[in-house]
Amino acid sequence: MQNRILWPLIVVLVIGLIAIFYPRKATEPPVPLELPDSAQAPAPDAVPRQSEPEPPPEFVSRERPEPPAPLPPLDESDEAARSALTDLGGEALVEEYLVPDAVIRKFVTTVDSLSRDQLWMKVRAAPPIEGRLQVTEADGDTYLAPANFARYRPVALLVAEIDATELAAAYRRHYPLLQQAYEELGYPGRQFHNRALEVIEHLLATPSVEGPIRLERPHVLYKYADPGLEALSSGQKLLIRIGPDNAKIVRDKLVELRAALESLSETPASD
């Protein structure tokens, strides 16, 4: 394929696609986050989450028959990112499952948010899937309807087709843009590579749910009636919401991706 200068975006897409499973009409508070220009340092009030810097990941050297194309500046990477995704998955992928601007920054923010309580609409890497949350009623209680899971099947099948090994190799080549976007979030000295692996582990720890899932609707939005499920992170809740069959596809791909990313740091890179 031609012009794949931002292929590592797909690595994050495997994780970030989970974010589209939020209901379209979610009511969320304003986002206290400004996405800075790449030339700017993190905002003064952006307090680093860790005082001691982490060493950069040492990636395994891969065969490079020819020098890779130079990366565009982060502020100018949207067109290239969308073009790369179009080459990979077609126009439908880009038009339906990708935000139009700040693509890399929003991917990185999405990944970083999946282990937290909420994922703000403004910084999500993908728009919500069309349609409403499907529920069913029984004996006066409300349950998550199995019919709801069909909405997510096309995305799950897309994830299943992604080659994790190829993605990891591209991720290594284009890691600087992801790292720059991560540091802009207020993590100077910390490595996005470590955070991505941490989030994958977190998602893989999502509990399996057997049987119907009871819901409550105290206000506008539904919530899980089980306090244990409701206390889960945004990413873990979404893995439950998409249904066990779709979640298995995503989990299997995350396992492949984890192994591929971990293999990058098994031995020091050499040029």
Side-chain angles (χ1 to χ4, degrees), residues 244-265:
D245 292 340
N246 294 327
K248 183 180 185 306
I249 291 176
V250 174
R251 285 172 183 267
D252 290 347
K253 187 57 61 174
L254 287 174
V255 169
E256 292 179 18
L257 181 59
R258 177 183 60 184
L261 292 181
E262 287 177 341
S263 72
L264 295 177
S265 52

Side-chain angles (χ1 to χ4, degrees), residues 91-112:
E91 292 185 5
L93 171 66
V94 172
E95 296 302 320
E96 296 180 31
Y97 302 129
L98 185 68
V99 292
D101 55 19
V103 173
I104 295 179
R105 287 189 174 103
K106 289 179 180 178
F107 269 127
V108 170
T109 304
T110 294
V111 172
D112 185 53

Side-chain angles (χ1 to χ4, degrees), residues 62 128 180 218:
R62 305 292 186 187
Q180 179 183 345

Side-chain angles (χ1 to χ4, degrees), residues 180-225:
Q180 179 183 345
Y182 186 58
E183 292 194 9
E184 288 182 358
L185 289 180
Y187 300 102
R190 297 187 62 180
Q191 293 297 317
F192 177 72
H193 183 66
N194 296 339
R195 180 59 177 153
L197 290 173
E198 180 181 90
V199 170
I200 290 175
E201 291 292 344
H202 174 79
L203 294 176
L204 290 175
T206 303
S208 298
V209 180
E210 300 293 338
I213 300 175
R214 191 162 68 88
L215 304 176
E216 295 178 346
R217 195 176 190 181
H219 303 292
V220 177
L221 302 179
Y222 288 100
K223 59 185 291 187
Y224 294 117

Side-chain angles (χ1 to χ4, degrees), residues 56-194:
E58 296 291 342
F59 292 139
V60 175
S61 178
R62 305 292 186 187
E63 292 185 4
R64 292 187 293 255
E66 59 183 42
L71 295 175
L74 181 58
D75 286 339
E76 301 172 11
S77 62
D78 284 338
E79 181 178 354
R82 294 177 66 85
S83 175
L85 290 172
T86 299
D87 288 344
L88 177 68
E91 292 185 5
L93 171 66
V94 172
E95 296 302 320
E96 296 180 31
Y97 302 129
L98 185 68
V99 292
D101 55 19
V103 173
I104 295 179
R105 287 189 174 103
K106 289 179 180 178
F107 269 127
V108 170
T109 304
T110 294
V111 172
D112 185 53
S113 299
L114 285 172
S115 65
R116 308 188 193 285
D117 291 340
Q118 297 189 54
L119 179 59
W120 305 118
M121 188 81 71
K122 182 179 179 181
V123 295
R124 281 165 44 178
I129 280 183
E130 293 287 350
R132 295 178 177 272
L133 182 72
Q134 301 296 307
V135 300
T136 185
E137 304 287 338
D139 299 325
D141 289 325
T142 302
Y143 296 89
L144 187 63
N148 187 68
F149 307 149
R151 297 164 53 211
Y152 313 128
R153 194 63 176 179
V155 183
L157 294 177
L158 172 65
V159 169
E161 294 299 317
I162 296 175
D163 186 318
T165 301
E166 190 172 358
L167 293 179
Y171 168 92
R172 178 190 186 278
R173 292 196 301 271
H174 301 284
Y175 183 77
L177 291 179
L178 298 173
Q179 177 63 25
Q180 179 183 345
Y182 186 58
E183 292 194 9
E184 288 182 358
L185 289 180
Y187 300 102
R190 297 187 62 180
Q191 293 297 317
F192 177 72
H193 183 66
N194 296 339

